[in-house]
Amino acid sequence: GEHYQFLGKHINAALVFQENFRLIKESSNYWDLESKYKPILHFWSLSIEEQFYLFWPLVIFLTFFLFKRRLMFSISFLFLLFFILASTLKLGYYHSLSRFWELSLGGALATIDIHLNYLKRYPELNERIREFFSNNQFLVLFLFIFSVLLNWDVKSFSVWHLFLVDFSTFLLIFSFIYKSDSVLFSRGFLWYSGLISYSLYLFHHILFSFSYFLYNPFYDKVYNGYNLSIFVIPFVVLVLSYIFSYLTYKYVEVPFRKVKSYKIILVLLLVSFLFIQFAAYIDKTKGIPKRVFFNYENYLINFNVIPNNQRGLEILRSILGYEPLNAGVKANFEDINDKRKIVLLIGDSHAF
């Protein structure tokens, strides 16, 4: 019950793009061990992204006229402004002002690539840059991998560490402008992973988080120290992530991009609003008391899969501190303090 209640509060926050502030309120650390038990922890970045999209058009409009309709100057100014704010205020990992500079950097890249083809106004400079990236794309890729590995085990948030990763990513994507026919990135598995990357991001942590609830520490002893779940569960989660992402991309993302009717968009917004209100109602009333409820305890108490013995029940009772619902317990030794023996308890979470 506690896990579902906790998850519900985070879902409510994510629906109104406030998940990052919810995590700040909880003083949550991204690198905490408990973070893996938060299925939508990664929605903090989506919340910041949506906040940015609401805020960005207004500041672009104002700075656009401030710099006499020079869009590139406007975006560069905003990038520097947000970067200075992030590096001086030090508001932490989840705060919006710690991240807006990253999205501004993406805005600069989109301006160069799509809207203005800015560098093509300067043929000589454009040719030099094209030649560099055509000949050194793998060098840029190496820089990107190096920056990621350098920050792989960092346990604290640093804007400057993050800048190295973002800047190398900027260069890598920028290189595609001049070398779009790259063998490594224009086709194959990496290319398709990028195509469905948004859905992969949505699903991967949710599946991994729920998989941790399936992990049983007793597996280490039962299988003589070889925990198969370490390899099997991540592989299954990875495969499921790609399957769900493919289905989402094909049947949600692609069709939605083709929608041109404002009526459909308004209906979807209305449905989303109703879901938000329903979630808020559940949170306020501490659940739905009159919902259909299956009392599994009455069923479980009569379901014994193995013959019980009295000593096994006594040992289990001494461990749990209460009378177990399922009396199907068997013990093959007398002394619980015998360290040579292994006690395996199969039951609900209280058994551990």
Side-chain angles (χ1 to χ4, degrees):
E2 293 180 2
H3 287 297
Y4 287 120
Q5 186 178 17
F6 186 73
L7 176 60
K9 291 182 180 297
H10 280 269
I11 291 175
N12 286 344
L15 285 171
V16 291
F17 315 132
Q18 297 292 313
E19 174 65 0
N20 61 316
F21 292 116
R22 177 81 198 180
L23 292 169
I24 292 173
K25 184 179 180 181
E26 295 175 355
S27 300
S28 179
N29 190 325
Y30 193 81
W31 297 276
D32 283 346
L33 184 63
E34 293 301 314
S35 294
K36 64 186 180 182
Y37 296 109
K38 299 176 181 178
I40 60 171
L41 174 74
H42 59 314
F43 277 48
W44 69 269
S45 63
L46 300 179
S47 294
I48 291 177
E49 184 179 346
E50 297 304 326
Q51 293 164 24
F52 180 80
Y53 291 153
L54 293 173
F55 174 73
W56 184 248
L58 176 61
V59 293
I60 281 291
F61 179 79
L62 294 175
T63 54
F64 183 66
F65 288 99
L66 178 65
F67 289 100
K68 299 179 179 179
R69 299 178 180 271
R70 295 179 179 179
L71 184 58
M72 197 64 205
F73 280 96
S74 302
I75 294 177
S76 300
F77 168 77
L78 291 172
F79 165 74
L80 290 174
L81 175 62
F82 288 138
F83 186 82
I84 292 171
L85 287 174
S87 57
T88 54
L89 295 179
K90 297 179 180 180
L91 295 172
Y93 190 92
Y94 295 116
H95 203 282
S96 305
L97 288 179
S98 298
R99 300 290 181 165
F100 275 2
W101 66 270
E102 297 179 88
L103 295 165
S104 301
L105 186 62
L109 183 61
T111 301
I112 295 172
D113 181 24
I114 301 173
H115 296 292
L116 297 180
N117 287 321
Y118 193 76
L119 292 174
K120 292 181 180 179
R121 296 181 177 183
Y122 307 94
E124 186 177 346
L125 177 62
N126 181 64
E127 180 60 28
R128 289 182 181 180
I129 295 175
R130 186 201 65 78
E131 184 177 350
F132 174 82
F133 282 112
S134 296
N135 298 329
N136 299 283
Q137 193 172 47
F138 279 94
L139 179 63
V140 175
L141 176 62
F142 173 79
L143 176 63
F144 169 74
I145 295 174
F146 173 76
S147 67
V148 172
L149 294 177
L150 187 65
N151 291 277
W152 187 264
D153 200 34
V154 175
K155 301 299 183 183
S156 60
F157 176 68
S158 169
V159 173
W160 289 102
H161 284 161
L162 195 59
F163 176 77
L164 180 60
V165 178
D166 283 43
F167 183 67
S168 61
T169 305
F170 177 94
L171 291 178
L172 185 62
I173 299 174
F174 187 76
S175 68
F176 297 152
I177 300 174
Y178 294 95
K179 192 173 175 59
S180 59
D181 60 340
S182 170
V183 175
L184 187 61
F185 300 106
S186 61
R187 62 183 71 91
F189 179 75
L190 285 178
W191 170 81
Y192 192 76
S193 297
L195 195 64
I196 63 172
S197 59
Y198 184 81
S199 296
L200 279 174
Y201 184 78
L202 288 180
F203 286 114
H204 83 284
H205 186 73
I206 296 174
L207 294 172
F208 267 117
S209 183
F210 279 109
S211 74
Y212 285 118
F213 289 96
L214 302 177
Y215 170 70
N216 190 332
F218 283 107
Y219 289 165
D220 293 331
K221 294 183 178 180
V222 173
Y223 293 109
N224 298 320
Y226 296 98
N227 186 1
L228 297 179
S229 64
I230 291 178
F231 306 101
V232 175
I233 291 180
F235 176 76
V236 172
V237 167
L238 183 63
V239 172
L240 288 177
S241 296
Y242 269 88
I243 292 174
F244 291 154
S245 298
Y246 164 75
L247 295 174
T248 303
Y249 176 77
K250 184 175 181 179
Y251 296 107
V252 178
E253 288 188 49
V254 173
F256 190 78
R257 290 173 186 174
K258 298 178 181 178
V259 173
K260 297 181 180 180
S261 173
Y262 287 102
K263 292 181 180 179
I264 296 177
I265 296 175
L266 289 174
V267 169
L268 291 174
L269 288 174
L270 177 61
V271 172
S272 300
F273 176 77
L274 292 176
F275 271 113
I276 293 171
Q277 295 303 313
F278 183 62
Y281 169 77
I282 293 175
D283 182 44
K284 185 177 181 180
T285 58
K286 308 295 183 183
I288 306 177
K290 295 182 180 180
R291 70 187 186 278
V292 177
F293 177 69
F294 176 71
N295 191 345
Y296 69 93
E297 293 181 354
N298 292 335
Y299 176 76
L300 182 63
I301 199 170
N302 298 314
F303 184 73
N304 296 331
V305 293
I306 58 175
N308 65 299
N309 75 8
Q310 192 60 35
R311 184 54 181 158
L313 286 172
E314 291 175 2
I315 293 173
L316 181 57
R317 192 182 299 114
S318 67
I319 294 173
L320 299 180
Y322 62 86
E323 191 70 27
L325 290 173
N326 190 338
V329 181
K330 188 175 183 178
N332 59 359
F333 61 96
E334 293 296 326
D335 186 7
I336 194 172
N337 295 315
D338 188 349
K339 302 299 183 183
R340 295 172 300 174
K341 304 294 182 182
I342 295 176
V343 177
L344 176 63
L345 302 176
I346 299 177
D348 59 18
S349 57
H350 295 286
F352 302 102

